[in-house]
């Protein structure tokens, strides 16, 4: 009897977990901690549910698990220099102009893809498909303009899922066949007030930006093709570069359109798992931070300018101005600062720390304000915990993220490059003392958390879905496989124009003919009468 029940429950477990214990390869080699944290949080969910996940990274992740096997290929000194230089170049420039900042972004992507390319050529990575003992069921690619890396899934002949810290946009149309909706969906880097129709001017800018992004994406794609040929060039079994994007089962996005907007049409391959990097229940804080916060009778401020933008890129006098303002506040300040030997200045209300459990700190009730660089991760965490913000954006998507955050009413934003003491102080005071920012962000937090499946459940469900069905080609929009002419019905319009032209010609002839015959009745008839 007992064994029968055991067998039945065992069967039930098997049925429920039909795809238990898959071998998954995750290529998360983009050397930015903000991307890695989102991507590896997805991998961790899978590891926690019994899947064996092998992760290729170029940075050491903070997340670990016994089912996460790391293939860690650190940057060479040369790569690290090139990467830091390209980021420093982006930081120094004025990035308020979307178009020029996109061209700088192409340079940065080029440098990063050179690193990705070297990683794909690394013997440890090549061994994954050369060694016949390795068996993989699925490949995840951490996506940021690096389609050539999808090649490894073709090598292993398994389905591929993209995991990205980006949100749905035209950049993903080649994989998902989402439609262009330029009249009402703002482009990447643009933000408009949620739920509002764009004005004529906004639509014009939107149209130009979307097409600029297409041009940059096209240029980046050409670089990608070069890297694809560099890694797999002499391999005849590989598909054409142009076909790689057509073979993606799903894309996991770090977004949640229902709460964040914009409201846009998405095909079923769009899976939104925004907030995946945020723990559903926070971990206890390290003792020094907890003690420091416990003493914060007037509340506390968290200041973190991200991991991409190291303290050293900041101009010393900007740092001095920030210190002058912060050290005079009655609130406590936790400041993420890399170089503890050279801190901006000593003050009783400031605690410097090289690395911070940002998510756990934001969850603490004493935190009243988050000063950040408008990275997507930080803004999402702040929104999840309902904390208002002051953003100091610098480059890339940061100005647009900050702009959207301000339009949503969750705080204020000012450029880090032109920071002055008085406006910095006034902005901090405004966000701390005016309750409207906190109220709005708290209301958002409720919407953001209200979902049929949590972010973690969604990742698990959809990855296992792709495993169960050996890919998800059936979810794909036919648009992915259609030519530009067919996708835009240009051939049908051409046919219609031909028909209209033919009709017009016929009408013209009829008019001419009836005109002639009419005139003949009135003008020629007398003649005819005469001859008769
Ligand atoms: C997990 O994957 C690694 C490859 O990275 C492999 O060596 C190991 O045998 C796998 N473990 C299981 C239990 O399949
Ligand atoms: C950074 O800027 C310098 C000077 O403008 C230039 O020589 C260098 O190539 C740039 N580096 C990158 C990686 O863009
Ligand atoms: C798409 O992937 C499948 C394996 O999932 C493979 O059999 C097929 O050849 C791939 N198609 C293209 C066009 O690369
Ligand atoms: C907290 O405040 C008490 C009393 O003011 C002080 O003795 C203690 O050192 C403070 N702790 C921290 C971590 O600042």
């Amino acid at each position: 009897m007992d064994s029968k029940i055991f067998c039945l429950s065992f069967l039930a477990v098997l049925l429920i977990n039909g795809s238990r214990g898959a071998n998954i390869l995750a290529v998360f080699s983009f050397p930015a901690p903000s991307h890695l944290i989102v991507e590896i949080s997805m991998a961790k969910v899978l590891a926690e549910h019994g899947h064996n996940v092998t992760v290729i990274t170029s940075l050491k992740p903070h997340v670990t698990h016994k089912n996460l096997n790391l293939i860690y290929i650190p940057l060479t000194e040369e790569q690290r220099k090139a990467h830091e230089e390209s980021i420093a170049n982006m930081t120094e420039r004025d990035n308020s102009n979307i178009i020029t900042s996109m061209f700088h972004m192409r340079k940065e992507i080029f440098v990063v893809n050179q690193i990705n390319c070297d990683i794909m050529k690394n013997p440890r990575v090549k061994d994954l498909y050369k060694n016949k003992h390795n068996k993989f069921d699925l490949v995840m690619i951490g996506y940021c303009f690096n389609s050539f890396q999808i090649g490894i899934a073709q090598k292993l002949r398994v389905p591929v899922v993209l995991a990205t810290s980006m949100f749905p946009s035209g950049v993903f149309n080649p994989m998902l066949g989402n439609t262009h909706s330029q009249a009402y969906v703002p482009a990447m880097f643009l933000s408009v007030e949620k739920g509002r129709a764009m004005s004529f001017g906004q639509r014009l800018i939107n149209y130009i930006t979307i097409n600029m992004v297409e041009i940059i994406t096209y240029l980046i794609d050409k670089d990608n093709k070069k890297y694809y040929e560099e890694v797999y060039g002499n391999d005849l079994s590989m598909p054409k570069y142009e076909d790689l994007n057509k073979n993606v089962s799903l894309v996991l996005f770090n977004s949640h359109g229902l709460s964040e907007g914009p409201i846009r049409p998405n095909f079923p391959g769009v899976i939104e798992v925004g907030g995946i990097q945020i723990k559903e229940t926070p971990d206890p804080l390290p003792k020094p931070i907890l003690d420091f916060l416990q003493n914060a009778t007037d509340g506390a401020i968290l200041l973190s300018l991200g991991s991409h933008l190291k303290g050293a890129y900041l101009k010393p006098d900007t740092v001095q101005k920030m210190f002058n303002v912060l050290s005079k506040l009655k609130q406590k300040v936790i400041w993420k600062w890399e170089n503890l030997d050279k801190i901006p200045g000593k003050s009783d209300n400031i605690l410097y720390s090289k690395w911070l459990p940002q998510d756990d700190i934001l969850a603490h009730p004493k935190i009243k304000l988050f000063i950040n660089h408008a990275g997507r991760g930080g803004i999402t965490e702040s929104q999840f915990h309902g904390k208002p913000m002051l953003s100091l954006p610098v480059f890339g998507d940061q100005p647009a993220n900050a702009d959207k955050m301000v339009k949503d009413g969750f705080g204020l934003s000012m450029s880090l490059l032109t920071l002055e003491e008085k406006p910095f102080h006034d902005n901090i005071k405004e966000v701390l003392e005016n309750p409207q920012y906190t109220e709005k962000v708290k209301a958002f937090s409720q919407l953001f958390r209200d979902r049929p499946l949590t972010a973690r459940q969604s990742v698990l469900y959809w990855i296992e879905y792709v495993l169960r069905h050996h890919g998800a080609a059936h979810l794909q929009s036919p648009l992915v496989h259609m030519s530009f002419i067919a996708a835009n019905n240009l051939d049908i319009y051409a046919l219609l124009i031909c028909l209209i032209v033919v009709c017009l010609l016929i009408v013209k002839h009829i008019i001419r003919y009836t005109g002639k015959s009419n005139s003949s009745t009135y003008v020629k008839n007398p003649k005819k009468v005469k001859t008769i």
Side-chain angles (χ1 to χ4, degrees):
M1 188 61 194
D2 270 351
S3 66
K4 211 170 172 185
I5 290 175
F6 173 76
C7 273
L8 278 178
S9 51
F10 184 64
L11 257 183
V13 167
L14 269 189
L15 283 178
I16 293 166
N17 304 308
S19 47
R20 185 129 269 204
N23 277 310
I24 297 171
L25 175 65
V27 184
F28 297 158
S29 53
F30 193 99
S34 57
H35 288 239
L36 184 59
I37 185 70
V38 168
E39 296 160 358
I40 206 146
S41 304
M42 299 185 195
K44 189 176 181 213
V45 176
L46 301 170
E48 283 170 354
H49 287 81
H51 297 292
N52 185 24
V53 192
T54 305
V55 190
I56 303 173
T57 66
S58 62
L59 302 173
K60 220 177 180 83
H62 287 292
V63 172
T64 54
H65 189 273
K66 69 176 177 26
N67 289 343
L68 280 182
N69 313 292
L70 210 56
I71 300 185
Y72 169 46
I73 305 174
L75 302 192
T76 61
E77 194 53 28
E78 204 181 325
Q79 286 172 336
R80 199 186 51 75
K81 279 217 184 92
H83 187 223
E84 290 198 346
E85 188 185 300
S86 87
I87 292 184
N89 275 6
M90 282 204 291
T91 334
E92 277 161 18
R93 293 206 175 83
D94 172 23
N95 285 290
S96 53
N97 183 326
I98 289 171
I99 310 238
T100 55
S101 82
M102 273 192 297
F103 276 101
H104 293 314
M105 208 184 71
R106 179 193 174 199
K107 278 198 196 142
E108 155 75 351
I109 301 276
F110 187 84
V111 172
V112 166
N113 271 338
Q114 182 62 57
I115 295 169
N116 284 336
C117 179
D118 292 341
I119 288 177
M120 298 320 269
K121 289 195 289 189
N122 187 293
R124 286 168 74 194
V125 173
K126 288 199 156 175
D127 180 68
L128 293 170
Y129 49 87
K130 290 215 164 120
N131 182 346
K132 296 288 172 244
H133 295 296
N134 287 325
K135 284 264 173 291
F136 288 103
D137 304 297
L138 182 120
V139 167
M140 289 172 87
I141 305 283
Y143 194 84
C144 183
F145 300 99
N146 52 337
S147 292
F148 78 97
Q149 288 187 308
I150 297 174
I152 196 165
Q154 308 301 343
K155 268 278 167 219
L156 293 163
R157 304 198 168 280
V158 294
V160 58
V161 167
L162 304 186
T164 180
S165 62
M166 298 158 84
F167 52 90
S169 76
V171 170
F172 294 88
N173 288 2
M175 300 91 181
L176 296 164
N178 262 355
T179 45
H180 285 281
S181 19
Q182 305 177 339
Y184 58 98
V185 179
M188 183 159 77
F189 299 120
L190 274 189
S191 65
V192 292
E193 213 167 312
K194 216 175 112 191
R196 279 274 183 84
M198 285 186 262
S199 67
F200 176 81
Q202 284 173 322
R203 276 185 293 122
L204 183 65
I205 292 173
N206 198 39
Y207 181 82
I208 294 170
T209 313
I210 287 178
N211 287 293
M212 282 305 298
V213 173
E214 296 252 306
I215 292 170
I216 306 265
T217 311
Y218 170 79
L219 293 174
I220 293 177
D221 227 33
K222 273 178 58 180
D223 302 338
N224 258 279
K225 189 170 177 181
K226 180 184 138 284
Y227 288 126
Y228 184 63
E229 273 152 18
E230 202 174 318
V231 183
Y232 308 105
N234 48 11
D235 189 335
L236 295 174
S237 68
M238 292 294 280
K240 282 192 302 195
Y241 171 74
E242 288 74 14
D243 286 338
L244 290 179
N245 283 339
K246 299 180 184 170
N247 216 0
V248 168
S249 293
L250 299 171
V251 184
L252 301 170
F253 287 98
N254 183 27
S255 62
H256 183 243
L258 297 191
S259 57
E260 297 169 332
I263 296 304
R264 56 167 297 153
N266 281 324
F267 281 115
V270 175
I271 308 299
E272 297 193 284
V273 298
I276 183 70
Q277 76 279 24
I278 305 171
K279 293 182 213 100
E280 280 158 17
T281 42
D283 286 342
L285 289 174
K287 182 114 177 47
I289 294 177
L290 194 64
D291 288 348
F292 185 73
L293 284 177
Q294 231 107 56
N295 269 5
T297 39
D298 292 300
I301 297 171
L302 175 62
L303 166 58
S304 166
L305 299 181
S307 29
H308 219 82
L309 181 75
K310 288 207 182 119
Y313 291 130
L314 292 169
K315 280 182 271 165
D317 69 313
T318 307
V319 173
Q320 195 54 50
K321 285 173 194 161
M322 289 169 72
F323 175 80
N324 292 347
V325 171
L326 295 171
S327 56
K328 288 187 198 105
L329 294 174
K330 59 179 193 274
Q331 285 80 12
K332 300 261 176 194
V333 179
I334 301 178
W335 190 336
K336 179 169 184 283
W337 188 260
E338 301 274 334
N339 185 357
L340 292 182
D341 299 329
K342 219 179 132 208
I343 54 172
K346 264 184 88 69
S347 170
D348 279 345
N349 72 329
I350 303 182
L351 174 76
Y352 298 97
S353 176
K354 217 171 139 102
W355 185 77
L356 293 171
Q358 182 168 295
D359 176 21
D360 301 327
I361 295 176
L362 283 171
H364 197 282
K366 285 274 170 70
I367 296 290
K368 301 293 177 212
L369 168 66
F370 180 29
I371 303 178
N372 57 40
H373 67 308
R376 290 254 305 142
I379 289 195
T380 308
E381 285 171 20
S382 205
Q383 289 173 349
F384 183 88
H385 294 295
K387 299 296 158 88
M389 287 164 262
L390 173 60
S391 283
L392 311 173
V394 181
F395 64 84
D397 62 344
Q398 297 162 5
N401 294 340
D403 207 26
K404 180 168 184 335
M405 183 278 288
V406 172
K407 285 204 171 97
D408 287 337
F410 305 155
L412 297 173
S413 162
M414 58 195 292
S415 170
L416 179 65
L417 302 179
T418 56
L419 184 131
E420 291 300 335
E421 280 184 35
K422 171 109 176 55
F424 185 53
H425 176 263
D426 292 349
N427 284 340
I428 290 177
K429 271 246 166 317
E430 165 70 10
V431 181
L432 283 174
E433 285 168 11
N434 187 337
Q436 70 168 23
Y437 303 103
T438 308
E439 282 161 14
K440 284 208 171 126
V441 73
K442 284 217 149 68
F444 173 86
S445 171
Q446 304 283 325
L447 268 187
F448 187 70
R449 294 171 188 230
D450 197 346
R451 316 180 191 189
L453 291 179
T454 65
R456 297 162 56 79
Q457 288 167 340
S458 298
V459 168
L460 187 65
Y461 175 81
W462 285 104
I463 292 286
E464 292 189 343
Y465 180 93
V466 174
L467 286 167
R468 280 195 295 274
H469 303 288
H470 309 290
H474 59 280
L475 293 185
Q476 205 170 40
S477 157
L479 206 52
V480 169
H481 303 282
M482 288 163 82
S483 69
F484 179 79
I485 291 179
N488 292 287
N489 262 349
L490 295 184
D491 41 1
I492 295 197
Y493 297 142
L495 177 70
L496 285 180
I497 290 172
C498 285
L499 285 178
I500 291 171
V501 169
V502 167
C503 285
L504 285 177
L505 285 178
I506 292 174
V507 169
K508 194 174 154 197
H509 273 92
I510 291 176
I511 291 176
R512 194 182 284 167
Y513 179 77
T514 52
K516 265 187 195 151
S517 55
N518 281 354
S519 59
S520 65
T521 37
Y522 294 107
V523 183
K524 281 180 186 162
N525 264 2
K527 259 188 197 169
K528 270 185 190 165
V529 171
K530 246 183 198 171
T531 45
I532 290 167

